[in-house]
Amino acid sequence: KQEISKNAENSEKNDEEIIKTSENIDISNTIQNPKQIQFMINEILAQNKISFKRRSVKITKESFESVKKVADIFKENKDLNVEIAGHTDSRGKASLNKRISQDRANSVKAALVKLGVDKKRLKAVGYGEQFPVAKDDKDGLSEINRRVEINIEGVEKW
């Protein structure tokens, strides 16, 4: 019983370390678990989402800091395959939204590659308005739906 209690205590300490690491966005070689890495990426994007100027596929300067942090994570964890998912709100034509979301996902992919991430590990997909995370207002606007997500898809090679 004492051994089990000690293991549970160590596990809690490890969880605390993961949380502390993600709070500081400190990238460490000890992080190996894809779920932990995904959590860190989500935290980076929650603090500073990847955004674009209106009607543009150019990443804003502020957002580029998040892209750099994500690139550093992927350079430290070279065995991860990643999907870069572009999303829009429902304002405008669905076909245009799909194209915009694809172009923005491609833009993030290009930035990651430029920062040293192997392009073979990255897949860019534009989903348009297909997967909202919030209800759009009466005009089809929802800032939260206009986003780029970065999702770890696995550790096998493409």
mmCIF file of all heavy atoms in Angstrom, residues 108-135:
data_model
loop_
_atom_site.group_PDB
_atom_site.id
_atom_site.type_symbol
_atom_site.label_atom_id
_atom_site.label_comp_id
_atom_site.label_asym_id
_atom_site.label_seq_id
_atom_site.Cartn_x
_atom_site.Cartn_y
_atom_site.Cartn_z
ATOM 1 N N VAL A 108 0.301 28.856 -42.308
ATOM 2 C CA VAL A 108 0.903 28.407 -41.047
ATOM 3 C C VAL A 108 1.893 27.280 -41.324
ATOM 4 O O VAL A 108 2.998 27.258 -40.759
ATOM 5 C CB VAL A 108 -0.186 27.977 -40.033
ATOM 6 C CG1 VAL A 108 0.444 27.354 -38.794
ATOM 7 C CG2 VAL A 108 -1.050 29.172 -39.653
ATOM 8 N N LYS A 109 1.529 26.372 -42.210
ATOM 9 C CA LYS A 109 2.445 25.288 -42.579
ATOM 10 C C LYS A 109 3.741 25.859 -43.151
ATOM 11 O O LYS A 109 4.836 25.453 -42.754
ATOM 12 C CB LYS A 109 1.788 24.350 -43.594
ATOM 13 C CG LYS A 109 2.695 23.226 -44.051
ATOM 14 C CD LYS A 109 2.018 22.337 -45.078
ATOM 15 C CE LYS A 109 2.974 21.257 -45.587
ATOM 16 N NZ LYS A 109 2.326 20.391 -46.585
ATOM 17 N N ALA A 110 3.626 26.798 -44.060
ATOM 18 C CA ALA A 110 4.806 27.417 -44.669
ATOM 19 C C ALA A 110 5.681 28.091 -43.609
ATOM 20 O O ALA A 110 6.917 27.997 -43.665
ATOM 21 C CB ALA A 110 4.382 28.418 -45.740
ATOM 22 N N ALA A 111 5.059 28.756 -42.644
ATOM 23 C CA ALA A 111 5.814 29.413 -41.569
ATOM 24 C C ALA A 111 6.560 28.383 -40.725
ATOM 25 O O ALA A 111 7.729 28.580 -40.380
ATOM 26 C CB ALA A 111 4.881 30.246 -40.699
ATOM 27 N N LEU A 112 5.888 27.272 -40.395
ATOM 28 C CA LEU A 112 6.539 26.219 -39.609
ATOM 29 C C LEU A 112 7.725 25.629 -40.363
ATOM 30 O O LEU A 112 8.786 25.384 -39.779
ATOM 31 C CB LEU A 112 5.527 25.129 -39.229
ATOM 32 C CG LEU A 112 4.483 25.525 -38.186
ATOM 33 C CD1 LEU A 112 3.397 24.465 -38.092
ATOM 34 C CD2 LEU A 112 5.130 25.768 -36.822
ATOM 35 N N VAL A 113 7.544 25.414 -41.659
ATOM 36 C CA VAL A 113 8.632 24.873 -42.486
ATOM 37 C C VAL A 113 9.803 25.855 -42.508
ATOM 38 O O VAL A 113 10.959 25.472 -42.341
ATOM 39 C CB VAL A 113 8.136 24.540 -43.914
ATOM 40 C CG1 VAL A 113 9.294 24.227 -44.846
ATOM 41 C CG2 VAL A 113 7.152 23.371 -43.868
ATOM 42 N N LYS A 114 9.496 27.130 -42.671
ATOM 43 C CA LYS A 114 10.535 28.169 -42.697
ATOM 44 C C LYS A 114 11.291 28.223 -41.365
ATOM 45 O O LYS A 114 12.474 28.547 -41.327
ATOM 46 C CB LYS A 114 9.894 29.529 -43.007
ATOM 47 C CG LYS A 114 10.863 30.591 -43.400
ATOM 48 C CD LYS A 114 10.128 31.821 -43.908
ATOM 49 C CE LYS A 114 11.123 32.783 -44.533
ATOM 50 N NZ LYS A 114 10.466 33.926 -45.159
ATOM 51 N N LEU A 115 10.615 27.869 -40.293
ATOM 52 C CA LEU A 115 11.222 27.859 -38.963
ATOM 53 C C LEU A 115 11.947 26.539 -38.662
ATOM 54 O O LEU A 115 12.432 26.344 -37.550
ATOM 55 C CB LEU A 115 10.163 28.132 -37.896
ATOM 56 C CG LEU A 115 9.610 29.555 -37.899
ATOM 57 C CD1 LEU A 115 8.356 29.647 -37.037
ATOM 58 C CD2 LEU A 115 10.675 30.547 -37.404
ATOM 59 N N GLY A 116 11.982 25.628 -39.641
ATOM 60 C CA GLY A 116 12.790 24.418 -39.484
ATOM 61 C C GLY A 116 12.053 23.120 -39.236
ATOM 62 O O GLY A 116 12.679 22.100 -38.950
ATOM 63 N N VAL A 117 10.740 23.113 -39.349
ATOM 64 C CA VAL A 117 9.971 21.878 -39.169
ATOM 65 C C VAL A 117 9.890 21.172 -40.526
ATOM 66 O O VAL A 117 9.607 21.809 -41.544
ATOM 67 C CB VAL A 117 8.552 22.165 -38.617
ATOM 68 C CG1 VAL A 117 7.763 20.875 -38.447
ATOM 69 C CG2 VAL A 117 8.639 22.926 -37.300
ATOM 70 N N ASP A 118 10.133 19.876 -40.540
ATOM 71 C CA ASP A 118 10.108 19.083 -41.772
ATOM 72 C C ASP A 118 8.704 19.077 -42.376
ATOM 73 O O ASP A 118 7.741 18.652 -41.738
ATOM 74 C CB ASP A 118 10.562 17.660 -41.463
ATOM 75 C CG ASP A 118 10.634 16.760 -42.685
ATOM 76 O OD1 ASP A 118 10.268 17.197 -43.806
ATOM 77 O OD2 ASP A 118 11.064 15.607 -42.526
ATOM 78 N N LYS A 119 8.587 19.534 -43.615
ATOM 79 C CA LYS A 119 7.272 19.656 -44.252
ATOM 80 C C LYS A 119 6.589 18.304 -44.437
ATOM 81 O O LYS A 119 5.369 18.234 -44.525
ATOM 82 C CB LYS A 119 7.362 20.396 -45.580
ATOM 83 C CG LYS A 119 8.080 19.658 -46.675
ATOM 84 C CD LYS A 119 8.084 20.483 -47.956
ATOM 85 C CE LYS A 119 8.895 19.798 -49.027
ATOM 86 N NZ LYS A 119 8.947 20.571 -50.244
ATOM 87 N N LYS A 120 7.344 17.217 -44.468
ATOM 88 C CA LYS A 120 6.749 15.881 -44.620
ATOM 89 C C LYS A 120 5.909 15.505 -43.397
ATOM 90 O O LYS A 120 5.062 14.621 -43.487
ATOM 91 C CB LYS A 120 7.834 14.828 -44.829
ATOM 92 C CG LYS A 120 8.576 14.973 -46.130
ATOM 93 C CD LYS A 120 9.635 13.894 -46.245
ATOM 94 C CE LYS A 120 10.742 14.372 -47.144
ATOM 95 N NZ LYS A 120 11.990 13.707 -46.875
ATOM 96 N N ARG A 121 6.145 16.160 -42.288
ATOM 97 C CA ARG A 121 5.415 15.868 -41.051
ATOM 98 C C ARG A 121 4.144 16.695 -40.907
ATOM 99 O O ARG A 121 3.368 16.497 -39.990
ATOM 100 C CB ARG A 121 6.322 16.151 -39.851
ATOM 101 C CG ARG A 121 7.555 15.289 -39.826
ATOM 102 C CD ARG A 121 8.555 15.740 -38.788
ATOM 103 N NE ARG A 121 7.908 16.024 -37.520
ATOM 104 C CZ ARG A 121 8.402 16.891 -36.639
ATOM 105 N NH1 ARG A 121 9.491 17.551 -36.884
ATOM 106 N NH2 ARG A 121 7.774 17.094 -35.496
ATOM 107 N N LEU A 122 3.936 17.638 -41.819
ATOM 108 C CA LEU A 122 2.836 18.589 -41.695
ATOM 109 C C LEU A 122 1.797 18.413 -42.791
ATOM 110 O O LEU A 122 2.146 18.226 -43.952
ATOM 111 C CB LEU A 122 3.393 20.018 -41.767
ATOM 112 C CG LEU A 122 4.473 20.388 -40.767
ATOM 113 C CD1 LEU A 122 5.036 21.761 -41.084
ATOM 114 C CD2 LEU A 122 3.958 20.329 -39.346
ATOM 115 N N LYS A 123 0.550 18.490 -42.399
ATOM 116 C CA LYS A 123 -0.566 18.433 -43.347
ATOM 117 C C LYS A 123 -1.476 19.620 -43.052
ATOM 118 O O LYS A 123 -1.889 19.821 -41.911
ATOM 119 C CB LYS A 123 -1.319 17.113 -43.163
ATOM 120 C CG LYS A 123 -2.565 16.976 -44.015
ATOM 121 C CD LYS A 123 -3.190 15.596 -43.915
ATOM 122 C CE LYS A 123 -3.775 15.300 -42.568
ATOM 123 N NZ LYS A 123 -4.536 14.054 -42.504
ATOM 124 N N ALA A 124 -1.774 20.413 -44.077
ATOM 125 C CA ALA A 124 -2.654 21.576 -43.918
ATOM 126 C C ALA A 124 -4.017 21.260 -44.520
ATOM 127 O O ALA A 124 -4.105 20.814 -45.659
ATOM 128 C CB ALA A 124 -2.042 22.796 -44.599
ATOM 129 N N VAL A 125 -5.074 21.500 -43.738
ATOM 130 C CA VAL A 125 -6.433 21.213 -44.187
ATOM 131 C C VAL A 125 -7.332 22.412 -43.870
ATOM 132 O O VAL A 125 -7.325 22.913 -42.749
ATOM 133 C CB VAL A 125 -7.005 19.953 -43.494
ATOM 134 C CG1 VAL A 125 -8.418 19.666 -43.988
ATOM 135 C CG2 VAL A 125 -6.112 18.747 -43.704
ATOM 136 N N GLY A 126 -8.078 22.846 -44.863
ATOM 137 C CA GLY A 126 -9.045 23.922 -44.655
ATOM 138 C C GLY A 126 -10.440 23.342 -44.505
ATOM 139 O O GLY A 126 -10.948 22.700 -45.408
ATOM 140 N N TYR A 127 -11.035 23.547 -43.353
ATOM 141 C CA TYR A 127 -12.369 23.015 -43.079
ATOM 142 C C TYR A 127 -13.471 24.052 -43.283
ATOM 143 O O TYR A 127 -14.656 23.728 -43.190
ATOM 144 C CB TYR A 127 -12.444 22.467 -41.657
ATOM 145 C CG TYR A 127 -11.632 21.209 -41.468
ATOM 146 C CD1 TYR A 127 -10.409 21.242 -40.819
ATOM 147 C CD2 TYR A 127 -12.088 19.991 -41.956
ATOM 148 C CE1 TYR A 127 -9.656 20.085 -40.657
ATOM 149 C CE2 TYR A 127 -11.346 18.825 -41.795
ATOM 150 C CZ TYR A 127 -10.133 18.886 -41.139
ATOM 151 O OH TYR A 127 -9.388 17.732 -40.981
ATOM 152 N N GLY A 128 -13.095 25.297 -43.519
ATOM 153 C CA GLY A 128 -14.110 26.333 -43.687
ATOM 154 C C GLY A 128 -14.962 26.474 -42.452
ATOM 155 O O GLY A 128 -14.462 26.499 -41.337
ATOM 156 N N GLU A 129 -16.266 26.507 -42.661
ATOM 157 C CA GLU A 129 -17.223 26.700 -41.565
ATOM 158 C C GLU A 129 -17.774 25.381 -41.020
ATOM 159 O O GLU A 129 -18.707 25.362 -40.229
ATOM 160 C CB GLU A 129 -18.373 27.584 -42.049
ATOM 161 C CG GLU A 129 -19.102 27.005 -43.241
ATOM 162 C CD GLU A 129 -20.002 28.003 -43.943
ATOM 163 O OE1 GLU A 129 -19.489 29.004 -44.477
ATOM 164 O OE2 GLU A 129 -21.218 27.769 -43.951
ATOM 165 N N GLN A 130 -17.170 24.281 -41.424
ATOM 166 C CA GLN A 130 -17.685 22.937 -41.139
ATOM 167 C C GLN A 130 -17.711 22.557 -39.654
ATOM 168 O O GLN A 130 -18.593 21.827 -39.221
ATOM 169 C CB GLN A 130 -16.816 21.933 -41.905
ATOM 170 C CG GLN A 130 -17.392 20.578 -42.085
ATOM 171 C CD GLN A 130 -16.514 19.740 -43.027
ATOM 172 O OE1 GLN A 130 -15.518 20.212 -43.567
ATOM 173 N NE2 GLN A 130 -16.899 18.504 -43.197
ATOM 174 N N PHE A 131 -16.760 23.046 -38.853
ATOM 175 C CA PHE A 131 -16.659 22.637 -37.456
ATOM 176 C C PHE A 131 -16.627 23.835 -36.505
ATOM 177 O O PHE A 131 -15.607 24.148 -35.912
ATOM 178 C CB PHE A 131 -15.404 21.771 -37.231
ATOM 179 C CG PHE A 131 -15.403 20.500 -38.018
ATOM 180 C CD1 PHE A 131 -14.563 20.358 -39.117
ATOM 181 C CD2 PHE A 131 -16.245 19.457 -37.683
ATOM 182 C CE1 PHE A 131 -14.556 19.187 -39.859
ATOM 183 C CE2 PHE A 131 -16.251 18.279 -38.417
ATOM 184 C CZ PHE A 131 -15.407 18.142 -39.510
ATOM 185 N N PRO A 132 -17.770 24.506 -36.329
ATOM 186 C CA PRO A 132 -17.791 25.653 -35.408
ATOM 187 C C PRO A 132 -17.634 25.204 -33.956
ATOM 188 O O PRO A 132 -18.049 24.098 -33.592
ATOM 189 C CB PRO A 132 -19.170 26.264 -35.644
ATOM 190 C CG PRO A 132 -20.004 25.134 -36.124
ATOM 191 C CD PRO A 132 -19.074 24.237 -36.907
ATOM 192 N N VAL A 133 -17.020 26.054 -33.158
ATOM 193 C CA VAL A 133 -16.920 25.779 -31.724
ATOM 194 C C VAL A 133 -17.861 26.684 -30.928
ATOM 195 O O VAL A 133 -17.994 26.536 -29.728
ATOM 196 C CB VAL A 133 -15.467 25.935 -31.202
ATOM 197 C CG1 VAL A 133 -14.590 24.837 -31.754
ATOM 198 C CG2 VAL A 133 -14.892 27.294 -31.523
ATOM 199 N N ALA A 134 -18.501 27.624 -31.623
ATOM 200 C CA ALA A 134 -19.480 28.521 -31.006
ATOM 201 C C ALA A 134 -20.533 28.858 -32.052
ATOM 202 O O ALA A 134 -20.296 28.743 -33.249
ATOM 203 C CB ALA A 134 -18.795 29.794 -30.515
ATOM 204 N N LYS A 135 -21.687 29.282 -31.577
ATOM 205 C CA LYS A 135 -22.764 29.660 -32.491
ATOM 206 C C LYS A 135 -22.480 31.048 -33.064
ATOM 207 O O LYS A 135 -22.138 31.983 -32.335
ATOM 208 C CB LYS A 135 -24.090 29.665 -31.731
ATOM 209 C CG LYS A 135 -25.271 29.893 -32.626
ATOM 210 C CD LYS A 135 -26.575 29.743 -31.874
ATOM 211 C CE LYS A 135 -27.683 30.064 -32.853
ATOM 212 N NZ LYS A 135 -28.934 29.519 -32.507
#
